[in-house]
Amino acid sequence: MNKSFIFFVLVLDFSSSYSMETDGKYVTIDESLTIYYQQQGSGPQAIIFIPGWSMSSQVFKYQLSYFEDSKKFKVFAYDPRGQGRSSKPNSGYSYHQRGKDLAQFIDKLNLNNVVLVGWSFGTLDMLSYISQYDTD
């Protein structure tokens, strides 16, 4: 008995529906990784939004715009390695490494008392960070 299969591949492109007019910035993590991020607000409390797998910081456009004039919060959304406008090195895509990337991002921007907000697979980056660096 011969069986035949038909496979469909669905590719969703969210880039046009989530385009932002906000100018972002880049921070160099190491020689192979530069992270793109967007920032709003100027307060002492830092909040970092972490997007899901294959998504970019653009998915948080409404959250960023909400904090645009905030004097209480400084809000960041970044593109993890290999996503969005960040560099796309040939390796380092484990969640262990992505937790390290997040730690270096926080360190390079001299952030303290950070609140992490993960969306979808972004929660795994967050959990990797917490498992390696605790919640201090």
Side-chain angles (χ1 to χ4, degrees), residues 74-95:
K74 187 182 308 180
V75 181
F76 301 85
Y78 76 101
D79 295 348
R81 85 170 42 225
Q83 295 177 214
R85 296 180 185 171
S86 289
S87 57
K88 293 156 182 62
N90 292 328
S91 62
Y93 292 94
S94 69
Y95 282 103

Side-chain angles (χ1 to χ4, degrees), residues 22-28 34-41 57 74-79 85-87 105 109:
T22 306
D23 290 330
K25 300 177 183 177
Y26 290 89
V27 61
T28 300
T34 302
I35 296 284
Y36 172 82
Y37 69 97
Q38 297 178 51
Q39 176 186 341
Q40 293 293 342
S57 57
K74 187 182 308 180
V75 181
F76 301 85
Y78 76 101
D79 295 348
R85 296 180 185 171
S86 289
S87 57
F105 178 78
L109 295 179

Side-chain angles (χ1 to χ4, degrees), residues 39-102:
Q39 176 186 341
Q40 293 293 342
S42 59
Q45 176 65 59
I47 301 172
I48 300 175
F49 288 95
I50 308 164
W53 182 252
S54 79
M55 300 306 288
S56 73
S57 57
Q58 294 178 347
V59 300
F60 296 115
K61 71 178 182 177
Y62 296 115
Q63 289 77 11
L64 285 172
S65 66
Y66 178 82
F67 291 103
E68 184 174 2
D69 298 320
S70 178
K71 302 291 184 222
K72 186 175 181 182
F73 298 99
K74 187 182 308 180
V75 181
F76 301 85
Y78 76 101
D79 295 348
R81 85 170 42 225
Q83 295 177 214
R85 296 180 185 171
S86 289
S87 57
K88 293 156 182 62
N90 292 328
S91 62
Y93 292 94
S94 69
Y95 282 103
H96 184 77
Q97 181 58 52
R98 291 166 66 95
K100 285 183 175 184
D101 293 346
L102 177 55

Side-chain angles (χ1 to χ4, degrees), residues 117-133:
V117 181
W119 174 60
S120 188
F121 273 32
T123 59
L124 297 178
D125 293 0
M126 187 175 71
L127 290 173
S128 174
Y129 170 84
I130 292 169
S131 72
Q132 294 178 71
Y133 301 97

